[in-house]
Amino acid sequence: MKSFIDHDIISEALAAQKADDATLAAILAKAEKSEPLSQTEVAQLLLVEDAGHIAEMNRIAGEIKDRIYGRRVVMFAPLYVSDYCVNNCSYCGYSHKNQFNRRRLSMDEIKREVEILESMGHKRLALEAGEDPVNCDIDYITDAMEAIYSVQKGNGSIRRINVNIAATTVENYKKLESKGIGTYILFQETYDDTAYLEHHQGGPKRNYLYHLTAFDRAMEAGIEDVGGGVLFGLADYRSEVLALLQHNAHLEEVYGVGFHTVSVPRLKKALGMDLAQYPHIVTDEQFKRIVTVLRLALPYVGIILSTRETPEIRDELLRCGISQLSAGSVTGVGGYEERENGEDISQFSVDDERSPIEIIKSLVDSGYIPSYCTACYRSGRTGDRFMQLAKSGKIGYVCEPNALMTLLEYIQDYGDDELKAKGYKFIDEHAKTIDNPKVREMTLSRIERLKNGERDLYV
């Protein structure tokens, strides 16, 4: 398979004359109705400089997210299980050239990490590992998935495992699918093929095309939900956004459904690298533009923001269309237990060190509904079936009710007095505002059942 990224189209779109007020208004009108935008139209949004126009773009992006998914914000945490890696990537602390004592968790150690995560209230994890066919092969990953799903601590259990591992074969993706993978996540890192070779200096990941076509093999293997992303800071962010959209368009054209999620990590300091050597570092304002434009161009896609960012930036970006947040994250192998022991073994710097309960309180205070829902995944609402619901406007009928119910679960099982005092009132008030009478009554009924001790109720 040849590359489906057309860099000439990207260059032409970014070289076009900036949109005048009338043209920009027409583009935003299309976006507001969730109509597809061309590469040139997206480029025009990336090139806007007027503060008033930028504020209008941010407003529309936030309203699009709320219209489709409601005020819910999905919560998750990463789980790093192995830092063995055969690749030499300039920006990564796991790079093969870096000398440190590497570690792969045993199944018992993984279960201990999961117990800690469950005691924090988490229901969905992102399983993370470096690439090493000897020390971290596919069977180790699938064994880890089995171990994670087997753990139940009190009322806690992991209901969805998203997996972020290196590009692999159709056969290996079939193994992941058979073990109950949620979303297969893989960041292209950079779509600029020249920059890609510059930053991937050795190992199998250096193969740009094999990495680029990983989602094709995953979908051929039966994995219905895939999540893309860019490590912003390796190349020009505007080109990266347009290439990411081309990738999504390719998947939609060939497989009938594009990305389930898109992640937007920014380059951070890691072992063995110096940020001063990277000329494309993204500013806060540029980063906000990235999130806003992605929401305008991909209205139905989940946009994920990690704890790499500060609480202030995360709060701002929620208003621009972010729909998923990590919470209480540790970015090192065995890091959750190490943190309990007062140690820090992070792969890269984390700027939001709030606990999950602190983040939940902040979200509730801002009118958002923290959600630990995994109902769509377990009900078969995945792939094109999920997108059909989203595009029909009906996904909100399940998103907000399920968010309220999982928030209630959290409050019942892990909340302190402060969260209980504000949370119960918040849930009851929001449940009563659900537009659909049938859904509203169903939600209120199940809320009472949850208060009486039942668990894992969803629409």
Side-chain angles (χ1 to χ4, degrees):
M1 178 184 291
K2 66 179 182 178
S3 176
F4 39 78
I5 303 300
D6 192 324
H7 296 286
D8 289 338
I9 289 178
I10 292 171
S11 297
E12 291 170 7
L14 290 172
Q17 186 174 359
K18 293 180 182 178
D20 57 26
D21 288 354
T23 302
L24 183 60
I27 296 171
L28 290 177
K30 286 181 65 176
E32 197 161 16
K33 292 183 287 188
S34 299
E35 294 179 0
L37 302 180
S38 70
Q39 289 261 293
T40 299
E41 289 170 330
V42 174
Q44 298 286 10
L45 297 176
L46 290 165
L47 295 170
V48 170
E49 296 177 350
D50 179 78
H53 291 154
I54 292 170
E56 180 69 359
M57 289 165 56
N58 294 341
R59 179 191 67 78
I60 293 172
E63 289 182 356
I64 288 171
K65 182 267 171 185
D66 288 350
R67 183 179 72 239
I68 295 170
Y69 293 110
R71 298 286 286 174
R72 71 100 167 101
V73 178
V74 172
M75 313 293 289
F76 75 98
L79 172 60
Y80 289 78
V81 296
S82 173
D83 52 26
Y84 283 94
C85 195
V86 296
N87 295 307
N88 278 318
C89 305
S90 70
Y91 51 83
C92 183
Y94 289 176
S95 181
H96 186 70
K97 68 178 184 295
N98 289 335
Q99 300 299 309
F100 62 94
N101 292 324
R102 296 183 186 260
R103 183 181 181 188
R104 183 186 82 165
L105 298 182
S106 69
M107 294 303 122
D108 285 341
E109 289 172 327
I110 288 173
K111 290 178 182 178
R112 173 58 184 151
E113 291 284 280
V114 174
E115 287 180 347
I116 295 169
L117 285 159
E118 289 179 354
S119 70
M120 294 160 62
H122 283 293
K123 306 297 183 188
R124 73 166 69 198
L125 301 180
L127 177 63
E128 313 267 358
E131 181 173 9
D132 188 319
V134 174
N135 293 294
C136 185
D137 63 8
I138 194 66
D139 292 331
Y140 171 76
I141 296 297
T142 55
D143 287 347
M145 293 174 68
E146 287 187 349
I148 292 166
Y149 278 134
S150 73
V151 177
Q152 181 160 353
K153 183 176 177 61
N155 286 327
S157 63
I158 301 304
R159 299 168 181 169
R160 179 181 176 117
I161 305 172
N162 299 332
V163 178
N164 183 356
I165 61 169
T168 188
T169 63
V170 172
E171 180 183 57
N172 285 343
Y173 287 126
K174 287 180 178 178
K175 291 182 178 180
L176 293 176
E177 196 278 332
S178 72
K179 296 300 180 180
I181 186 174
T183 302
Y184 172 60
I185 298 170
L186 186 68
F187 305 158
Q188 183 60 26
E189 315 296 9
T190 175
Y191 285 95
D192 183 316
D193 45 6
T194 300
Y196 188 94
L197 292 178
E198 176 187 348
H199 294 294
H200 299 94
Q201 299 158 355
K205 192 171 179 177
R206 183 171 167 81
N207 188 330
Y208 175 89
L209 188 58
Y210 188 76
H211 194 77
L212 180 67
T213 56
F215 291 140
D216 295 81
R217 295 188 296 280
M219 287 187 162
E220 288 171 18
I223 295 176
E224 294 188 303
D225 290 343
V226 298
V230 169
L231 180 56
F232 287 100
L234 299 180
D236 178 78
Y237 74 93
R238 297 167 301 178
S239 298
E240 301 281 32
V241 169
L242 293 174
L244 184 70
L245 297 179
Q246 286 187 7
H247 197 166
N248 183 75
H250 161 76
L251 296 176
E252 287 186 338
E253 180 181 353
V254 178
Y255 303 100
V257 62
F259 294 133
H260 184 71
T261 59
V262 168
S263 298
V264 289
R266 274 197 289 186
L267 187 64
K268 291 286 183 177
K269 179 71 179 78
L271 177 67
M273 58 87 85
D274 182 357
L275 286 176
Q277 297 176 351
Y278 295 81
H280 297 288
I281 298 297
V282 172
T283 67
D284 289 350
E285 286 306 309
Q286 290 169 340
F287 192 48
K288 186 186 294 186
R289 180 71 59 87
I290 288 167
V291 172
T292 293
V293 172
L294 284 174
R295 177 54 68 201
L296 296 174
L298 297 173
Y300 306 104
V301 170
I303 304 181
I304 299 173
L305 189 62
S306 76
T307 50
R308 289 172 182 253
E309 302 299 334
T310 65
E312 294 76 20
I313 290 293
R314 292 191 356 141
D315 288 346
E316 279 192 59
L317 293 177
L318 280 169
R319 296 190 289 273
C320 300
I322 288 293
S323 58
Q324 297 193 22
L325 291 175
S326 56
S329 305
V330 174
T331 62
V333 176
Y336 293 101
E337 185 165 22
E338 296 291 346
R339 184 169 64 185
E340 287 201 336
N341 296 330
E343 299 180 30
D344 179 12
I345 56 171
S346 298
Q347 179 197 2
F348 50 81
S349 61
V350 169
D351 287 335
D352 189 346
E353 297 182 345
R354 293 175 296 174
S355 67
I357 194 169
E358 290 173 317
I359 293 174
I360 285 172
K361 288 176 183 177
S362 175
L363 289 170
V364 168
D365 287 341
S366 299
Y368 294 103
I369 310 170
S371 174
Y372 288 93
C373 177
T374 59
C376 285
Y377 160 69
R378 292 185 294 151
S379 301
R381 297 191 292 258
T382 57
D384 59 350
R385 294 178 297 285
F386 176 88
M387 281 300 168
Q388 286 169 8
L389 271 177
K391 292 179 180 180
S392 71
K394 295 180 180 178
I395 196 67
Y397 291 158
V398 298
C399 281
E400 283 206 336
N402 288 334
L404 290 168
M405 286 187 273
T406 58
L407 175 58
L408 180 58
E409 279 190 331
Y410 182 94
I411 292 171
Q412 295 273 94
D413 295 335
Y414 310 104
D416 59 15
D417 290 342
E418 180 188 1
L419 181 58
K420 288 177 179 178
K422 67 177 62 175
Y424 288 135
K425 179 181 179 183
F426 177 85
I427 289 168
D428 288 340
E429 288 177 350
H430 275 264
K432 291 173 182 175
T433 66
I434 294 173
D435 290 336
N436 186 295
K438 182 178 179 181
V439 175
R440 181 172 62 248
E441 291 307 313
M442 183 187 303
T443 303
L444 289 169
S445 172
R446 292 182 182 185
I447 283 173
E448 290 306 311
R449 290 166 59 188
L450 288 166
K451 288 180 179 179
N452 289 327
E454 291 189 56
R455 289 294 178 269
D456 200 14
L457 303 177
Y458 53 87
V459 178

